[in-house]
Amino acid sequence: MTRFPSSPTTRYALALTVSVATTLFLLLGIGALGIVGDGDRDALYLAAPAVALLVAVATRFRPGGMVVALAGAAVVTVVAGAVAVGLVVTDREVASVGDVVLLTGMYAALFAVAAWLFRLSERPAVGTAA
């Protein structure tokens, strides 16, 4: 019994599902609850899915390109979180610094997991010829 899907296509589909779910989760989190508080400050976080989509299209959704796209989304999420923490600290925004840091870390980690899954989808199945 294998511990992980053996087909590269199945692994790619799993990675794509995680990345789309993460993006939807981010959009719902921004729209329903807000990360930085009231107003349009949460728009900072929209840069992450935008970067992921641009790189994915530029690399034609190939696994190697998707690794770069989702890793870039994770980095952009961390940068957006750093800017958001600065906004919360300087403007006495309703949001808590701890909440912003934890939510930013969660979204960045989810994007990083998706990148890792795409990395795994590049490899041939175990026990097959390359």
Side-chain angles (χ1 to χ4, degrees):
M1 185 170 142
T2 61
R3 293 180 6 189
F4 201 71
S6 59
S7 163
T9 304
T10 305
R11 291 184 294 214
Y12 186 93
L14 176 64
L16 188 61
T17 301
V18 170
S19 62
V20 169
T22 300
T23 300
L24 290 176
F25 187 43
L26 175 65
L27 295 175
L28 287 172
I30 289 171
L33 305 171
I35 298 172
V36 187
D38 296 334
D40 57 354
R41 295 170 184 235
D42 292 328
L44 293 167
Y45 288 92
L46 296 178
V51 164
L53 182 62
L54 287 173
V55 174
V57 168
T59 60
R60 298 181 186 163
F61 296 94
R62 292 187 178 119
M66 294 300 287
V67 171
V68 174
L70 275 298
V75 169
V76 170
T77 301
V78 171
V79 170
V83 172
V85 166
L87 290 173
V88 169
V89 169
T90 58
D91 278 352
R92 297 183 188 163
E93 190 61 35
V94 178
S96 148
V97 171
D99 290 345
V100 171
V101 169
L102 288 175
L103 288 171
T104 299
M106 177 189 65
Y107 289 121
L110 288 171
F111 281 125
V113 166
W116 174 72
L117 289 171
F118 275 112
R119 177 76 174 122
L120 292 179
S121 74
E122 289 181 312
R123 299 178 185 162
V126 175
T128 61

